[in-house]
Amino acid sequence: MSDDAPARGLDDDLCVRECERCPALVDSRSRIVNGVGPTDAALLFVGEGPGATEDEEGEPFVGRSGDVLDEALREAGLARADVRITNCVRCRPPENRDPRSEELANCRGYLTEEIDRVDPELIVPLGKVPSEHLLDRDVAITSTAGSVVEARVGGAARRVLLCVHPAATLYDRSQREGFFEAVAEAADLAGATEGTGGQSRLGDY
Ligand code: URA
């Protein structure tokens, strides 16, 4: 997998407006689901790809997994609007299957461009698929969640905090505490709550 994959081409809002690179995803999507949040966010979460609710609403993590992420952000003193949230692929895979390696590769340039341009302090891949995609190696996510690694992503060396997918907390309640701790650690490492007194940065504006 190469970081000079050809799919660069985000607009000024870091959005892809048109793309037909993955025939199966073009068939299954209702729309392209772009990243949301500040374009200079200190903290960037990267999921796998849109599910049914995200495909319907056009925003990442707005279904049940998103509710868990929002709750963990709130507990960490952040609002959803304080962080950037995106996905490895921007179109919903059919029947919520994992994105295929060629689909991940087709979309990689968009993701690395987004990372280069946002230039976050910390990246948090949510789950195994985005962790392996960003680090370009196998990741035993359950045993390594919570650890921070350095990785070259796009044009720079990045700090990456490994984390389980929020959906894991829904089917295995015992993952909840670790997930919430990882999000709190991410907020801390990124300095995302600095100067907020534990409140959302949005209160400043
Ligand atoms: N799961 C993901 O990985 N991404 C989303 O946007 C929603 C659920």
Side-chain angles (χ1 to χ4, degrees):
M1 189 179 338
S2 153
D3 279 340
D4 5 279
R8 291 177 85 90
L10 302 183
D11 69 9
D12 289 348
D13 299 321
L14 304 186
C15 290
V16 179
R17 300 294 173 191
E18 272 179 44
C19 184
E20 310 249 307
R21 285 171 183 272
C22 306
L25 304 195
V26 170
D27 280 351
S28 62
R29 75 180 180 203
S30 315
R31 69 201 82 242
I32 295 171
V33 178
N34 287 296
V36 291
T39 53
D40 62 350
L43 186 49
L44 172 70
F45 291 91
V46 181
E48 191 174 305
T53 316
E54 290 76 22
D55 178 68
E56 237 172 76
E57 296 190 21
E59 182 168 338
F61 284 98
V62 287
R64 288 181 69 208
S65 297
D67 291 342
V68 177
L69 178 59
D70 288 350
E71 196 186 337
L73 286 170
R74 272 197 306 277
E75 280 211 6
L78 291 172
R80 180 183 176 85
D82 293 330
V83 302
R84 188 150 184 102
I85 308 174
T86 195
N87 276 308
C88 294
V89 298
R90 292 172 191 248
C91 301
R92 182 193 180 197
E95 278 119 44
N96 293 336
R97 66 157 166 76
D98 286 355
R100 301 207 165 112
S101 57
E102 66 272 20
E103 294 161 351
L104 288 164
N106 284 342
C107 222
R108 186 172 178 88
Y110 297 137
L111 178 62
T112 54
E113 183 180 353
E114 187 170 13
I115 292 169
D116 286 346
R117 286 171 58 185
V118 173
D119 193 20
E121 293 293 325
L122 183 74
I123 303 175
V124 183
L126 294 169
K128 187 176 176 69
V129 169
S131 301
E132 294 190 337
H133 186 50
L134 286 174
L135 302 186
D136 203 10
R137 62 168 168 82
D138 290 344
V139 175
I141 192 62
T142 315
S143 55
T144 55
S147 56
V148 179
V149 296
E150 295 272 334
R152 183 142 202 107
V153 186
R158 298 284 172 194
R159 245 178 356 159
V160 176
L161 173 69
L162 300 174
C163 186
V164 298
H165 195 281
T169 70
L170 296 170
Y171 55 76
D172 177 2
R173 194 77 198 167
S174 71
Q175 305 259 11
R176 199 176 145 88
E177 194 180 336
F179 177 76
F180 275 60
E181 278 172 11
V183 173
E185 191 191 348
D188 206 28
L189 288 173
T193 50
E194 250 165 44
T196 66
Q199 299 299 303
S200 157
R201 276 198 295 197
L202 286 185
D204 296 344
Y205 301 111

